[in-house]
Amino acid sequence: MKRVLIFARDAAWFGGVVNFIATLSKNLDNGFESVPFRIGRRKGFAGMLLRPIFPLLDAVRLAYMVIRVRFDVYHINPSLNYSSLIRDGLFMLVLRLLRADNVIVSFHGWEDSVEHGITKSRLLLAVFRYIFRYADCTLVLAETFRDWLVNVAGFDPVRVCLFTTMFDDAEFRTFGGDLVRDDNSVLFLSRLVREKGIYELIEAFRSLAPDYPDLKLVIAGNGPEEQRVRNFVIASGIDDRVSFTGYVRGADKARVMKAAGLFVFPTYYGEGCPVSLLEAMAAGLPLITTRAGGISHIIREPENGLLLDKVTPEDVETAMRRLLDSSSLCDAMRNTNTREAWERYSAPVVTRQFEDLYARVGDIANVVE
C-alpha cells in the first residue's frame, strides 16, 4: 500500500481546495492510504499576531515527520498567490533539504498579478524556480499556466501536466430523469467577494426584471461582501425577487442547484477551476461565466455555456437574455453538461487519475534524470 501525505488546511475551513482534498481522500481505493498534513491557522485560534507562527510550526512538524517516516508520495496544494507561495514554499524547502522523493505540487488557484510580479523580479523568479522546480510533477488547471511554468520559470515540460478539479458525485446522485427545476430561477453560488461578479449580476438582473416578470435570483454563499450585497439588492429595488440562502454544502447545495434553471458566475477572480461550475454541469444547468483562470479549459462555448470576454452589467444582461430566450440552446447545454460532468469530472473518475499519478510519479522523475 502506498502512503500519500496530502497537504491541506483543516477540514473545518470551507473552500475549494479543502473540499477537493476531502473528496480525493474519501475516494482513494485500498491501494493508497491518504495521510492528512493539516496546515495553516486552526479553527478556534484567533488573532492576527498568531498567523505567521503556524507555517513555521508546520514546517518543523513536517521535517520531524519526513525524518521519522518516509512517505511514498508528498502532495502539496498551493495557489499562485503570495501568502500561499510563502507558506507552501516553506514546505517545499523542507522537502528539498531533506531530499524527499516523489513530490507532487497541484496549483489550484492562479493570480495573474502574482505571475506578472514574479516575472518582473529576477530575485522572485530565481527563488520560485529554486523551490518549486524541485517537484517531480507539477499540476496546473490550464495550458496558459503550463506555458508560463515552462517558458518563463524554466520547468521541464515533461514534469508539468494538466489536471482538473472534481465534484463529489455522492452529493449529486439525487439528479436524475425525474429532475424538476424552475427555468425562471437564476442561481449564483460562490463566496461573496466583489471579484466574483456579484454586483454586475445584480445590475444585469435589475435591467432584465421588467421584461421577465417571473424571473428570480438566488444568491448562495457567504463572505466579506454579504451585507453590502444585501444592501445593494435593497437599494436596487429588487429585494422581493432575490433570495439569499447563505453558505450551502452537501444535500442543501444539491437542492439549491436542483431548483435552478440557469447558473451565472461572472467571475474575474484569480480562479483555478471553481468546483461550483462542475457541480452546475452535473446538475444539468446552462452556464454563463468567464475565461478566468482555468475555466476556459473546462467550459466550451456554446456547448457548455456562454463565456464573457468582459464583465460588465451590459455583457451579463446580454448573455442572460440570449439563454432566457432560447429554450433549445439551454436544452442542448443541459444535455452536454450532464453527460460531460459525470463522464469527466466526477470524483471516482478524477480520483482514478490521481491514483495513476501517485503510482507512476517516480517514473516521471526518472524520465529527465
Side-chain angles (χ1 to χ4, degrees):
M1 177 176 291
K2 287 203 170 190
R3 303 186 73 206
V4 184
L5 188 66
I6 303 182
F7 296 64
R9 297 184 73 190
D10 191 277
W13 293 98
F14 301 138
V17 179
V18 171
N19 293 338
F20 175 87
I21 297 304
T23 304
L24 175 64
S25 300
K26 182 173 66 175
N27 284 274
L28 285 173
D29 75 7
N30 294 330
F32 298 88
E33 179 188 359
S34 170
V35 180
F37 185 80
R38 300 303 180 205
I39 62 176
R41 185 164 59 94
R42 307 317 193 251
K43 280 285 189 179
F45 285 86
M48 294 294 292
L49 294 177
L50 293 176
R51 290 188 65 180
I53 297 176
F54 287 105
L56 296 175
L57 295 176
D58 289 338
V60 172
R61 184 164 55 91
L62 173 62
Y64 179 73
M65 289 183 68
V66 173
I67 291 170
R68 287 184 64 248
V69 182
R70 286 281 174 167
F71 293 89
D72 295 292
V73 180
Y74 301 87
H75 186 180
I76 298 182
N77 295 273
S79 292
L80 197 78
N81 61 60
Y82 286 122
S83 62
S84 177
L85 291 179
I86 292 171
R87 179 195 65 206
D88 295 298
L90 188 59
F91 304 148
M92 284 294 296
L93 188 59
V94 169
L95 294 177
R96 178 172 187 139
L97 293 175
L98 295 178
R99 302 180 66 84
D101 296 322
N102 300 336
V103 178
I104 297 173
V105 173
S106 301
F107 280 101
H108 291 264
W110 197 277
E111 294 187 9
D112 290 339
S113 60
V114 175
E115 176 192 310
H116 297 154
I118 294 174
T119 302
K120 291 178 181 179
S121 170
R122 290 185 178 181
L123 176 60
L124 290 179
L125 188 57
V127 171
F128 180 84
R129 284 172 173 166
Y130 177 79
I131 292 176
F132 284 96
R133 276 199 307 187
Y134 180 72
D136 297 292
C137 182
T138 302
L139 303 177
V140 292
L141 288 161
E143 193 68 48
T144 53
F145 305 161
R146 183 180 186 276
D147 290 343
W148 183 81
L149 289 175
V150 172
N151 299 324
V152 178
F155 282 47
D156 191 293
V158 175
R159 295 189 179 189
V160 183
C161 306
L162 294 176
F163 83 109
T164 70
T165 49
M166 67 179 89
F167 70 94
D168 190 343
D169 60 306
E171 296 178 353
F172 285 82
R173 289 291 176 189
T174 53
F175 295 104
D178 60 344
L179 183 66
V180 177
R181 66 174 75 254
D182 181 356
D183 290 337
N184 291 307
S185 177
V186 176
L187 174 63
F188 173 93
L189 188 152
S190 177
R191 188 162 182 262
L192 295 181
V193 296
R194 179 175 294 275
E195 293 82 4
K196 299 288 187 174
I198 182 60
Y199 292 105
E200 289 83 356
L201 171 57
I202 292 170
E203 290 189 51
F205 183 86
R206 178 178 58 187
S207 298
L208 287 167
D211 297 333
Y212 300 86
D214 296 324
L215 198 64
K216 301 179 289 292
L217 174 61
V218 178
I219 299 174
N222 57 17
E225 287 288 309
E226 181 174 354
Q227 190 55 54
R228 282 185 285 271
V229 169
R230 289 177 179 271
N231 293 340
F232 188 67
V233 167
I234 294 172
S236 300
I238 53 174
D239 51 300
D240 59 328
R241 297 174 63 174
V242 179
S243 60
F244 291 82
T245 69
Y247 182 83
V248 290
R249 66 192 310 179
D252 291 332
K253 183 191 295 184
R255 281 192 291 269
V256 167
M257 287 194 164
K258 183 175 182 178
L262 174 63
F263 189 80
V264 184
F265 184 56
T267 179
Y268 46 96
Y269 190 74
E271 304 285 358
C273 180
V275 176
S276 61
L277 286 176
L278 304 183
E279 293 168 335
M281 290 175 66
L285 295 178
L287 309 174
I288 296 174
T289 186
T290 68
R291 304 178 192 276
I295 291 176
S296 59
H297 179 62
I298 300 292
I299 306 301
R300 305 183 317 280
E301 184 180 74
E303 291 87 349
N304 306 113
L306 303 182
L307 292 170
L308 304 172
D309 293 316
K310 297 182 298 180
V311 181
T312 67
E314 293 76 20
D315 290 315
V316 177
E317 178 187 349
T318 298
M320 290 176 68
R321 284 186 183 274
R322 181 179 173 188
L323 292 189
L324 290 170
D325 292 341
S326 179
S327 58
S328 60
L329 180 57
C330 287
D331 288 341
M333 288 178 179
R334 290 188 182 104
N335 292 333
T336 300
N337 287 345
T338 303
R339 183 184 70 254
E340 291 188 356
W342 289 89
E343 289 179 353
R344 301 179 184 179
Y345 308 119
S346 66
V349 172
V350 177
T351 300
R352 298 295 85 79
Q353 296 169 3
F354 271 89
E355 289 173 350
D356 178 65
L357 177 61
Y358 291 156
R360 65 185 179 88
V361 61
D363 295 333
I364 295 173
N366 293 332
V367 167
V368 292
E369 289 179 352

